[in-house]
Amino acid sequence: GAGVSQSPSNKVTEKGKDVELRCDPISGHTALYWYRQSLGQGLEFLIYFQGNSAPDKSGLPSDRFSAERTGGSVSTLTIQRTQQEDSAVYLCASSFVGITEAFFGQGTRLTVV
Amino acid sequence: KQEVTQIPAALSVPEGENLVLNCSFTDSAIYNLQWFRQDPGKGLTSLLLIQSSQREQTSGRLNASLDKSSGRSTLYIAASQPGDSATYLCAVSSGDSNYQLIWGAGTKLIIKP
């Protein structure tokens, strides 16, 4: 596609429910990143995928968070048993390789009530 | 551990003025530095990418400089317009995890008509 696409754009969920966030990167980009931006805070790295290599999951805040990338393209970030502190904007980015220019999607605003 | 600081946190100037946003980083061993803008409720838009071997990059009214030895980058905006109002973020790619962007907290810029 023309840009990085994320869905849904907004998600309100009840505490304890599971949510899935989707990212469709720019076609041909081998690197894909997930970041989280809490209100008034900077961006927090979550996870990185590069081609067929094992992902870097070092930024995932707890074992309730997981992500996968199918076929080297679309990625899904799953948050299980959501908590109120999970409320944030979740941003996805992609690039050709790990250290070139990164392009971001519009983000998914998650609100846990 | 790399840390990125942006000063000022907020800036309000009249339309037409030239202005400079500052970004500093603690570890000079970077691969690149990117400047982004973020509009309210939207994702991040990449403005300029400076590789570690470069001193500056220009795009239209924007000019970004990089001084690795002093750990500083500046974003110069010429002839500011109300449409430039946004939060400007800088991020560096460095260290062992060269694909992880380390982010500043941003400068919120308001251009008054």
CSV table of all heavy atoms in Angstrom, one decimal, chain B residues 4-46:
chain,number,residue,atom,x,y,z
B,4,VAL,N,17.9,10.8,25.0
B,4,VAL,CA,17.6,11.9,24.0
B,4,VAL,C,16.8,13.0,24.7
B,4,VAL,O,15.8,12.7,25.3
B,4,VAL,CB,16.9,11.4,22.8
B,4,VAL,CG1,16.6,12.5,21.8
B,4,VAL,CG2,17.7,10.3,22.1
B,5,THR,N,17.2,14.2,24.6
B,5,THR,CA,16.6,15.3,25.2
B,5,THR,C,16.2,16.4,24.2
B,5,THR,O,17.0,16.7,23.3
B,5,THR,CB,17.5,16.0,26.3
B,5,THR,OG1,17.8,14.9,27.3
B,5,THR,CG2,16.7,17.1,27.1
B,6,GLN,N,15.0,16.9,24.3
B,6,GLN,CA,14.6,18.0,23.4
B,6,GLN,C,14.3,19.3,24.2
B,6,GLN,O,13.5,19.2,25.2
B,6,GLN,CB,13.4,17.6,22.6
B,6,GLN,CG,13.8,16.5,21.5
B,6,GLN,CD,12.6,16.2,20.6
B,6,GLN,OE1,12.0,15.1,20.6
B,6,GLN,NE2,12.3,17.2,19.8
B,7,ILE,N,14.8,20.3,23.7
B,7,ILE,CA,14.6,21.6,24.4
B,7,ILE,C,14.3,22.7,23.3
B,7,ILE,O,14.9,22.7,22.2
B,7,ILE,CB,15.8,22.1,25.2
B,7,ILE,CG1,16.1,21.1,26.3
B,7,ILE,CG2,15.7,23.5,25.6
B,7,ILE,CD1,17.4,21.4,27.1
B,8,PRO,N,13.2,23.5,23.4
B,8,PRO,CA,12.4,23.5,24.6
B,8,PRO,C,11.2,22.5,24.5
B,8,PRO,O,11.0,21.9,23.5
B,8,PRO,CB,11.8,25.0,24.5
B,8,PRO,CG,11.7,25.2,23.1
B,8,PRO,CD,12.9,24.6,22.5
B,9,ALA,N,10.5,22.3,25.6
B,9,ALA,CA,9.4,21.4,25.5
B,9,ALA,C,8.2,22.0,24.8
B,9,ALA,O,7.4,21.3,24.2
B,9,ALA,CB,8.9,21.1,27.0
B,10,ALA,N,8.1,23.3,24.8
B,10,ALA,CA,7.1,24.0,24.0
B,10,ALA,C,7.6,25.3,23.5
B,10,ALA,O,8.5,25.9,24.2
B,10,ALA,CB,5.8,24.2,24.9
B,11,LEU,N,7.1,25.8,22.4
B,11,LEU,CA,7.5,27.0,21.8
B,11,LEU,C,6.4,27.6,21.0
B,11,LEU,O,5.7,26.9,20.3
B,11,LEU,CB,8.7,26.7,20.8
B,11,LEU,CG,9.3,27.9,20.1
B,11,LEU,CD1,10.0,28.8,21.1
B,11,LEU,CD2,10.4,27.4,19.1
B,12,SER,N,6.2,28.9,21.2
B,12,SER,CA,5.1,29.6,20.5
B,12,SER,C,5.7,30.9,19.9
B,12,SER,O,6.3,31.7,20.6
B,12,SER,CB,4.0,30.0,21.5
B,12,SER,OG,3.0,30.7,20.8
B,13,VAL,N,5.6,31.0,18.6
B,13,VAL,CA,6.2,32.1,17.9
B,13,VAL,C,5.2,32.7,16.8
B,13,VAL,O,4.3,31.9,16.4
B,13,VAL,CB,7.5,31.7,17.1
B,13,VAL,CG1,8.5,31.2,18.1
B,13,VAL,CG2,7.2,30.7,16.0
B,14,PRO,N,5.4,33.9,16.5
B,14,PRO,CA,4.5,34.5,15.4
B,14,PRO,C,4.8,33.9,14.1
B,14,PRO,O,6.0,33.6,13.8
B,14,PRO,CB,4.8,36.0,15.5
B,14,PRO,CG,5.5,36.2,16.7
B,14,PRO,CD,6.2,34.9,17.1
B,15,GLU,N,3.8,33.9,13.2
B,15,GLU,CA,4.0,33.4,11.9
B,15,GLU,C,5.1,34.2,11.2
B,15,GLU,O,5.2,35.4,11.3
B,15,GLU,CB,2.7,33.6,11.1
B,15,GLU,CG,2.7,33.2,9.7
B,15,GLU,CD,1.3,33.4,9.0
B,15,GLU,OE1,0.4,33.9,9.7
B,15,GLU,OE2,1.2,33.0,7.8
B,16,GLY,N,5.9,33.5,10.3
B,16,GLY,CA,6.9,34.2,9.6
B,16,GLY,C,8.3,34.1,10.2
B,16,GLY,O,9.3,34.4,9.4
B,17,GLU,N,8.3,33.8,11.4
B,17,GLU,CA,9.7,33.8,12.1
B,17,GLU,C,10.4,32.5,11.7
B,17,GLU,O,9.8,31.5,11.5
B,17,GLU,CB,9.5,33.9,13.6
B,17,GLU,CG,9.2,35.3,14.1
B,17,GLU,CD,9.5,35.4,15.6
B,17,GLU,OE1,10.0,34.5,16.2
B,17,GLU,OE2,9.2,36.5,16.1
B,18,ASN,N,11.7,32.7,11.7
B,18,ASN,CA,12.6,31.5,11.6
B,18,ASN,C,12.8,30.9,13.0
B,18,ASN,O,12.9,31.7,14.0
B,18,ASN,CB,13.9,31.8,11.0
B,18,ASN,CG,13.8,32.5,9.6
B,18,ASN,OD1,12.9,32.1,8.9
B,18,ASN,ND2,14.6,33.5,9.3
B,19,LEU,N,12.9,29.6,13.2
B,19,LEU,CA,13.1,29.1,14.5
B,19,LEU,C,14.0,27.8,14.5
B,19,LEU,O,14.1,27.2,13.5
B,19,LEU,CB,11.7,28.8,15.1
B,19,LEU,CG,10.8,27.8,14.4
B,19,LEU,CD1,10.9,26.4,15.0
B,19,LEU,CD2,9.4,28.2,14.4
B,20,VAL,N,14.5,27.5,15.7
B,20,VAL,CA,15.4,26.3,15.8
B,20,VAL,C,14.9,25.5,17.0
B,20,VAL,O,14.6,26.0,18.1
B,20,VAL,CB,16.8,26.8,16.1
B,20,VAL,CG1,17.7,25.6,16.4
B,20,VAL,CG2,17.4,27.6,14.9
B,21,LEU,N,14.7,24.2,16.7
B,21,LEU,CA,14.4,23.2,17.7
B,21,LEU,C,15.7,22.4,18.0
B,21,LEU,O,16.5,22.1,17.1
B,21,LEU,CB,13.3,22.3,17.2
B,21,LEU,CG,12.0,23.0,16.8
B,21,LEU,CD1,11.0,21.9,16.3
B,21,LEU,CD2,11.5,23.9,17.8
B,22,ASN,N,15.9,22.1,19.2
B,22,ASN,CA,17.1,21.4,19.6
B,22,ASN,C,16.9,20.0,20.1
B,22,ASN,O,15.9,19.7,20.7
B,22,ASN,CB,17.8,22.2,20.8
B,22,ASN,CG,18.2,23.5,20.3
B,22,ASN,OD1,19.1,23.7,19.5
B,22,ASN,ND2,17.5,24.5,20.8
B,23,CYS,N,17.9,19.1,19.8
B,23,CYS,CA,17.8,17.7,20.2
B,23,CYS,C,19.3,17.3,20.6
B,23,CYS,O,20.2,17.6,19.9
B,23,CYS,CB,17.4,16.8,19.1
B,23,CYS,SG,17.5,15.1,19.4
B,24,SER,N,19.4,16.8,21.8
B,24,SER,CA,20.7,16.3,22.2
B,24,SER,C,20.7,14.8,22.6
B,24,SER,O,19.6,14.4,23.1
B,24,SER,CB,21.2,17.2,23.4
B,24,SER,OG,20.4,17.1,24.5
B,25,PHE,N,21.8,14.2,22.5
B,25,PHE,CA,21.8,12.7,22.8
B,25,PHE,C,23.2,12.5,23.6
B,25,PHE,O,24.2,13.2,23.3
B,25,PHE,CB,21.7,11.9,21.6
B,25,PHE,CG,22.5,12.3,20.4
B,25,PHE,CD1,23.8,11.8,20.1
B,25,PHE,CD2,22.0,13.3,19.5
B,25,PHE,CE1,24.5,12.2,19.0
B,25,PHE,CE2,22.7,13.7,18.4
B,25,PHE,CZ,24.0,13.1,18.2
B,26,THR,N,23.1,11.5,24.4
B,26,THR,CA,24.3,11.3,25.3
B,26,THR,C,25.4,10.4,24.8
B,26,THR,O,26.5,10.5,25.2
B,26,THR,CB,23.8,10.7,26.6
B,26,THR,OG1,23.0,9.4,26.3
B,26,THR,CG2,22.9,11.6,27.4
B,27,ASP,N,25.0,9.5,23.8
B,27,ASP,CA,26.0,8.6,23.3
B,27,ASP,C,26.2,9.0,21.8
B,27,ASP,O,25.3,8.9,21.0
B,27,ASP,CB,25.5,7.2,23.4
B,27,ASP,CG,26.6,6.1,22.9
B,27,ASP,OD1,27.6,6.5,22.3
B,27,ASP,OD2,26.4,4.9,23.2
B,28,SER,N,27.4,9.4,21.4
B,28,SER,CA,27.6,9.9,20.1
B,28,SER,C,27.7,8.7,19.0
B,28,SER,O,27.8,9.0,17.8
B,28,SER,CB,28.9,10.7,20.0
B,28,SER,OG,30.0,9.9,20.4
B,29,ALA,N,27.7,7.5,19.5
B,29,ALA,CA,27.8,6.4,18.6
B,29,ALA,C,26.4,6.1,18.0
B,29,ALA,O,25.8,5.1,18.4
B,29,ALA,CB,28.4,5.2,19.3
B,30,ILE,N,26.0,6.9,17.1
B,30,ILE,CA,24.7,6.7,16.5
B,30,ILE,C,24.8,6.3,15.1
B,30,ILE,O,25.8,6.5,14.4
B,30,ILE,CB,23.8,8.0,16.6
B,30,ILE,CG1,24.4,9.1,15.7
B,30,ILE,CG2,23.7,8.4,18.0
B,30,ILE,CD1,23.5,10.3,15.6
B,31,TYR,N,23.8,5.6,14.6
B,31,TYR,CA,23.7,5.3,13.1
B,31,TYR,C,23.0,6.3,12.3
B,31,TYR,O,23.4,6.6,11.2
B,31,TYR,CB,23.0,3.9,13.0
B,31,TYR,CG,23.7,2.8,13.5
B,31,TYR,CD1,23.4,2.3,14.8
B,31,TYR,CD2,24.7,2.1,12.8
B,31,TYR,CE1,24.1,1.2,15.4
B,31,TYR,CE2,25.4,1.1,13.4
B,31,TYR,CZ,25.1,0.6,14.6
B,31,TYR,OH,25.8,-0.4,15.2
B,32,ASN,N,22.0,6.9,12.9
B,32,ASN,CA,21.3,8.0,12.2
B,32,ASN,C,20.4,8.7,13.2
B,32,ASN,O,20.2,8.3,14.4
B,32,ASN,CB,20.5,7.5,11.0
B,32,ASN,CG,19.4,6.5,11.4
B,32,ASN,OD1,18.7,6.7,12.3
B,32,ASN,ND2,19.3,5.4,10.6
B,33,LEU,N,19.9,9.8,12.8
B,33,LEU,CA,19.0,10.6,13.6
B,33,LEU,C,17.8,11.0,12.7
B,33,LEU,O,18.0,11.4,11.5
B,33,LEU,CB,19.7,11.8,14.2
B,33,LEU,CG,18.9,12.7,15.1
B,33,LEU,CD1,19.8,13.3,16.2
B,33,LEU,CD2,18.2,13.8,14.4
B,34,GLN,N,16.6,10.9,13.2
B,34,GLN,CA,15.4,11.3,12.4
B,34,GLN,C,14.7,12.4,13.1
B,34,GLN,O,14.5,12.3,14.4
B,34,GLN,CB,14.5,10.1,12.2
B,34,GLN,CG,14.8,9.3,11.0
B,34,GLN,CD,13.8,8.2,10.7
B,34,GLN,OE1,13.9,7.1,11.0
B,34,GLN,NE2,12.7,8.6,10.0
B,35,TRP,N,14.1,13.3,12.4
B,35,TRP,CA,13.1,14.2,12.9
B,35,TRP,C,11.8,13.9,12.4
B,35,TRP,O,11.6,13.6,11.2
B,35,TRP,CB,13.5,15.7,12.5
B,35,TRP,CG,14.6,16.3,13.2
B,35,TRP,CD1,16.0,16.3,12.9
B,35,TRP,CD2,14.5,17.0,14.5
B,35,TRP,NE1,16.7,16.9,13.9
B,35,TRP,CE2,15.8,17.4,14.9
B,35,TRP,CE3,13.4,17.3,15.3
B,35,TRP,CZ2,16.0,18.1,16.0
B,35,TRP,CZ3,13.7,18.1,16.4
B,35,TRP,CH2,15.0,18.5,16.8
B,36,PHE,N,10.8,13.9,13.3
B,36,PHE,CA,9.4,13.6,12.9
B,36,PHE,C,8.5,14.8,13.4
B,36,PHE,O,8.8,15.5,14.3
B,36,PHE,CB,8.9,12.3,13.6
B,36,PHE,CG,9.6,11.1,13.2
B,36,PHE,CD1,10.8,10.7,13.8
B,36,PHE,CD2,9.1,10.2,12.3
B,36,PHE,CE1,11.4,9.5,13.5
B,36,PHE,CE2,9.7,9.0,11.9
B,36,PHE,CZ,10.9,8.7,12.6
B,37,ARG,N,7.3,14.9,12.8
B,37,ARG,CA,6.3,15.7,13.3
B,37,ARG,C,5.1,14.8,13.6
B,37,ARG,O,4.8,13.8,12.9
B,37,ARG,CB,5.9,16.9,12.4
B,37,ARG,CG,5.2,16.5,11.2
B,37,ARG,CD,4.7,17.8,10.4
B,37,ARG,NE,3.5,18.3,11.0
B,37,ARG,CZ,3.1,19.5,10.7
B,37,ARG,NH1,3.7,20.3,9.8
B,37,ARG,NH2,1.9,20.0,11.2
B,38,GLN,N,4.4,15.2,14.7
B,38,GLN,CA,3.2,14.5,15.1
B,38,GLN,C,2.1,15.5,15.3
B,38,GLN,O,2.2,16.4,16.1
B,38,GLN,CB,3.4,13.7,16.4
B,38,GLN,CG,2.2,12.8,16.8
B,38,GLN,CD,2.5,11.9,17.9
B,38,GLN,OE1,3.3,12.2,18.8
B,38,GLN,NE2,1.9,10.7,17.9
B,39,ASP,N,1.0,15.3,14.5
B,39,ASP,CA,-0.2,16.2,14.7
B,39,ASP,C,-1.1,15.5,15.6
B,39,ASP,O,-1.2,14.3,15.7
B,39,ASP,CB,-0.8,16.4,13.3
B,39,ASP,CG,0.1,17.2,12.4
B,39,ASP,OD1,0.1,18.4,12.5
B,39,ASP,OD2,0.8,16.6,11.6
B,40,PRO,N,-1.9,16.3,16.3
B,40,PRO,CA,-2.9,15.7,17.3
B,40,PRO,C,-3.7,14.7,16.8
B,40,PRO,O,-4.4,14.9,15.7
B,40,PRO,CB,-3.7,17.0,17.8
B,40,PRO,CG,-2.8,18.1,17.6
B,40,PRO,CD,-2.0,17.8,16.3
B,41,GLY,N,-3.8,13.5,17.4
B,41,GLY,CA,-4.7,12.4,17.0
B,41,GLY,C,-4.2,11.7,15.7
B,41,GLY,O,-4.9,10.9,15.2
B,42,LYS,N,-2.9,12.0,15.3
B,42,LYS,CA,-2.4,11.4,14.1
B,42,LYS,C,-1.1,10.7,14.4
B,42,LYS,O,-0.5,10.9,15.5
B,42,LYS,CB,-2.3,12.4,13.0
B,42,LYS,CG,-3.6,13.0,12.6
B,42,LYS,CD,-3.4,13.9,11.4
B,42,LYS,CE,-4.7,14.5,10.9
B,42,LYS,NZ,-4.5,15.3,9.7
B,43,GLY,N,-0.6,9.9,13.5
B,43,GLY,CA,0.7,9.2,13.6
B,43,GLY,C,1.8,10.2,13.4
B,43,GLY,O,1.7,11.4,13.4
B,44,LEU,N,3.0,9.6,13.2
B,44,LEU,CA,4.2,10.4,13.0
B,44,LEU,C,4.5,10.5,11.5
B,44,LEU,O,4.4,9.5,10.8
B,44,LEU,CB,5.4,9.8,13.8
B,44,LEU,CG,5.5,10.0,15.3
B,44,LEU,CD1,4.4,9.2,16.0
B,44,LEU,CD2,6.9,9.7,15.8
B,45,THR,N,5.0,11.7,11.1
B,45,THR,CA,5.4,11.9,9.8
B,45,THR,C,6.9,12.1,9.8
B,45,THR,O,7.4,13.0,10.5
B,45,THR,CB,4.7,13.1,9.1
B,45,THR,OG1,3.3,12.8,9.2
B,45,THR,CG2,5.2,13.3,7.7
B,46,SER,N,7.7,11.3,9.0
B,46,SER,CA,9.1,11.5,8.9
B,46,SER,C,9.4,12.8,8.2
B,46,SER,O,8.9,13.0,7.1
B,46,SER,CB,9.7,10.3,8.3
B,46,SER,OG,11.1,10.5,8.1
